[in-house]
Amino acid sequence: MKTLAAEASVTRTAFYPKKNRDGTTRPGPYQHLAEEFERRLRTLQEAGEVIDPRTAQIERFKAKVTELKERLAQRDETIAELTTFKELALSRLAAQHDEIVRLRQQAAALSNVRRLPAALR
């Protein structure tokens, strides 16, 4: 009713029955439209069509949640791959550093190996 009232540019209360001062009820100015709208809505829902905007919104949200879960899983996988690559790169760098240190020590121990002078700047 709220959406129907907004589309018709009238207050929502115009679609509902009114009370007289003596307590009796009288139809609202647009109550017949509200009843027709509800009848059509009920017919469409019984036919299996999704008309309720809340239901459609829930379906959109479910689709978005599924998409976000897939993106999150993909990012987790990427992070795991990058973490593995980082660990491998660090271990290779450490091994290369150890090899350089070992070769420098070996070169220093030999008396027939001389260092080249540093390049002039």
Side-chain angles (χ1 to χ4, degrees):
M1 286 297 118
K2 183 177 179 181
T3 305
L4 183 62
E7 288 291 321
S9 300
V10 295
T11 62
R12 194 173 46 171
T13 58
F15 291 102
Y16 298 103
K18 308 293 180 206
K19 289 200 179 226
N20 293 323
R21 292 182 185 193
D22 62 359
T24 59
T25 58
R26 60 181 162 84
Y30 300 109
Q31 186 175 351
H32 66 284
L33 293 176
E35 291 168 355
E36 175 66 17
F37 176 76
E38 288 175 350
R39 187 189 60 75
R40 287 184 181 183
L41 182 63
R42 206 171 19 258
T43 304
L44 288 172
Q45 286 174 339
E46 289 171 359
E49 294 186 35
V50 178
I51 300 299
D52 187 6
R54 292 175 293 178
T55 305
Q57 185 179 35
I58 289 170
E59 293 303 318
R60 283 194 313 272
F61 286 158
K62 284 181 180 180
K64 187 69 172 176
V65 165
T66 301
E67 176 194 341
L68 290 174
K69 283 182 179 180
E70 289 171 0
R71 285 178 53 194
L72 184 61
Q74 186 178 15
R75 287 199 179 154
D76 287 345
E77 183 179 329
T78 302
I79 289 171
E81 289 173 2
L82 291 174
T83 302
T84 303
F85 175 77
K86 176 184 160 190
E87 291 171 357
L88 180 63
L90 287 175
S91 66
R92 286 182 180 173
L93 284 173
Q96 288 174 354
H97 176 73
D98 291 344
E99 180 68 12
I100 290 170
V101 169
R102 185 187 65 76
L103 289 173
R104 283 185 181 161
Q105 289 173 349
Q106 184 181 6
L110 297 176
S111 59
N112 63 350
V113 178
R114 295 186 187 161
R115 286 187 171 253
L116 294 174
L120 297 176
R121 292 184 183 170

